[in-house]
């Protein structure tokens, strides 16, 4: 998987938190001038986290009352983030 600047930004953001709402990631990671609609933010977040989840860098808790779920970085994700930041 290609760890783009945005993906590394997302991993760094999650490293500073315990869990974070997937639908709120869009405004934090790629804010738009006029903001995101709730549906657009949910779609962006759900789609963007999928490759990171498949690679084992994040976990998604989908057992929530509403929304896409809550995401957190894994130990593997922390290790990859540390390696990438040391290379810079």
């Amino acid at each position: 998987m290609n760890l783009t600047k945005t993906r590394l930004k997302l991993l760094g953001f999650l490293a500073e938190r315990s869990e974070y709402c997937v639908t709120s990631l869009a405004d934090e990671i790629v804010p738009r001038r006029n903001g995101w609609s709730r549906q657009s933010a949910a779609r962006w977040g759900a789609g963007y986290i999928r490759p990171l989840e498949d690679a084992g860098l994040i976990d998604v808790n989908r057992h929530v009352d509403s929304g896409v779920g809550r995401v957190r970085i894994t130990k593997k994700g922390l290790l990859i983030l540390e390696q990438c930041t040391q290379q810079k």
Side-chain angles (χ1 to χ4, degrees), residues 21-80:
C21 182
V22 172
T23 57
S24 298
L25 288 174
D27 285 323
E28 296 292 339
I29 305 302
V30 286
R32 289 189 170 180
R33 184 175 183 178
N34 296 322
W36 290 83
S37 71
R38 293 186 76 184
Q39 184 179 21
S40 294
R43 286 183 176 179
W44 182 89
Y48 201 76
I49 62 170
R50 182 70 58 165
L52 296 168
E53 181 182 23
D54 291 345
L57 304 181
I58 61 171
D59 281 328
V60 182
N61 176 5
R62 290 186 175 82
H63 302 286
V64 295
D65 292 335
S66 64
V68 178
R70 298 187 62 77
V71 64
R72 67 178 167 270
I73 193 167
T74 62
K75 290 180 183 179
K76 182 179 177 181
L78 288 169
L79 180 63
I80 294 293

Side-chain angles (χ1 to χ4, degrees), residues 1 3 8 11 55 57 74-86:
M1 175 181 46
L3 285 175
L8 289 172
L11 290 176
L57 304 181
T74 62
K75 290 180 183 179
K76 182 179 177 181
L78 288 169
L79 180 63
I80 294 293
L81 179 62
E82 184 179 321
Q83 290 172 354
C84 289
T85 53
Q86 286 177 356

